[in-house]
Amino acid sequence: MSTKAPACGWDQAVFQCGRCGAQRTARTEADYLKAVGAHGDAHAVWDRLNPIERDGITSILHTILSAPELAVELLALADQQSAGGEGR
């Protein structure tokens, strides 16, 4: 009679930031590494901003993230502008 050994690995991992206390849960190692990297990058960007810039980016992100279709259109406009299409 053979018994199967349980699969090696993990079902989830929790990252807790030592700076701000934020917690992120990931189900795969790749997702965990991605979450840790993104959170670290967010701290790096935030640290470079002054209070006025922080308020501005926060307002912009709230607006854009609440309407994904708006984000798509803004990116399309930005791409058009950078390609020389300055039409209004």
Side-chain angles (χ1 to χ4, degrees), residues 19-66:
R19 290 180 64 188
C20 69
Q23 289 188 346
R24 304 292 181 263
T25 302
R27 296 204 179 274
T28 67
E29 184 177 4
D31 287 346
Y32 179 84
L33 295 173
K34 190 174 175 182
V36 171
H39 190 78
D41 290 348
H43 272 292
V45 169
W46 192 255
D47 291 346
R48 287 184 287 205
L49 301 174
N50 66 45
I52 293 170
E53 292 168 331
R54 288 176 179 175
D55 287 346
I57 198 166
T58 300
S59 175
I60 291 165
L61 288 173
H62 278 291
T63 301
I64 291 173
L65 293 175
S66 69

